[in-house]
Amino acid sequence: MDRIEAMVAWFRQRRWAHLAVVNLRILIGFAFLPAGLKKILGEPFTDPANRGPFHEFLHAFHATGHFYTFVGVVQLVAATLLMTQRFATAGAFMALPVTGAILAFCWSTAVVPTATVVTLMFAGLVGLALWDVERWRGVLDAPDATPRAARASSPAPIDLQLWSLCGAAILVAYLATCLLSGGIYRPRGPAFDEPGFYVLMALPLFPIVTALIDRRRRAGR
């Protein structure tokens, strides 16, 4: 654990690492949004006509009703916490067991493309949890161990409040798009006749603009 903490401390001194972390939080949080909303609204996750272990499990999962909704709520809360940046540690730990269960399910049913994406998400969440190791490392100590003094951490070389606003803007923009389109907006391809398609394409600009503003503020100090 000491080696991991030392490695994390080294990364925390790099501005690019902070930028990678805040963007990873936004990316994983955004990935949870449509999945969580679909469950909360009670929409099936796959076409009822599809067959096979993967689809049949999802049919049964959807038929559980309240449990299906509960998982959606957990995903949406985890997504929101991740995108706030301030509460991202709680979001990462909330998302880890859910993603782990999805990971095991996808590989067990041999859905390789989806399983590969979920594996990357799970690895990203593990990385996010390790990034905040200073906040939770004490839970691994023995009950009678002497509490370790927290290391003095230097201020983050990025404006976390600015990145929190970026996450909130993405969250609001996507939810507004879903509301205006009357459902979960997940285009399967180019949809140039739909306004929501352009909003979705513009969302990656939010972190880019935020990074530029953050850099300009830092240069002006």
Side-chain angles (χ1 to χ4, degrees):
M1 182 58 71
D2 288 338
R3 288 186 178 181
I4 293 177
E5 291 180 28
M7 185 180 299
V8 171
W10 184 86
F11 277 109
R12 279 187 167 274
Q13 296 174 7
R14 274 66 186 173
R15 174 178 164 79
W16 62 263
H18 284 266
L19 291 173
V21 166
V22 293
N23 280 280
L24 183 60
R25 288 167 176 168
I26 292 174
L27 183 62
I28 295 179
F30 185 78
F32 269 119
L33 288 180
L37 287 172
K38 184 174 283 287
K39 295 179 181 67
I40 291 174
L41 296 176
E43 298 181 5
F45 215 77
T46 185
D47 193 298
N50 291 334
R51 291 292 177 265
F54 177 79
H55 298 288
E56 289 171 7
F57 179 92
L58 291 177
H59 297 330
F61 182 31
H62 177 253
T64 60
H66 293 308
F67 177 66
Y68 188 74
T69 303
F70 171 75
V71 175
V73 171
V74 171
Q75 288 181 307
L76 189 58
V77 171
T80 303
L81 292 175
L82 281 168
M83 297 175 79
T84 63
Q85 303 295 337
R86 181 177 180 183
F87 304 105
T89 307
F93 276 100
M94 183 176 290
L96 264 172
V98 177
T99 308
I102 297 173
L103 175 66
F105 163 61
C106 289
W107 281 115
S108 297
T109 52
V111 188
V112 177
T114 303
T116 302
V117 173
V118 177
T119 300
L120 294 175
M121 289 180 61
F122 186 80
L125 287 168
V126 171
L128 292 180
L130 291 176
W131 177 261
D132 292 318
V133 65
E134 285 285 339
R135 296 188 177 187
W136 55 265
R137 61 175 180 159
V139 301
L140 300 179
D141 291 336
D144 56 346
T146 303
R148 292 181 289 180
R151 296 179 181 176
S153 56
S154 56
I158 60 173
D159 189 339
L160 280 178
Q161 185 176 3
L162 181 64
W163 283 98
S164 179
L165 291 175
C166 174
I170 292 175
L171 181 64
V172 170
Y174 180 73
L175 293 178
T177 301
C178 292
L179 182 63
L180 293 176
S181 63
I184 310 303
Y185 192 73
R186 299 176 70 179
R188 300 298 180 182
F192 300 111
D193 58 333
E194 299 177 5
F197 176 76
Y198 296 97
V199 175
L200 204 62
M201 293 301 99
L203 290 183
L205 295 176
F206 286 42
I208 295 175
V209 172
T210 302
L212 292 175
I213 296 174
D214 190 10
R215 183 177 181 180
R216 176 170 294 184
R217 287 183 177 181
R218 181 176 174 81
R221 291 178 183 176

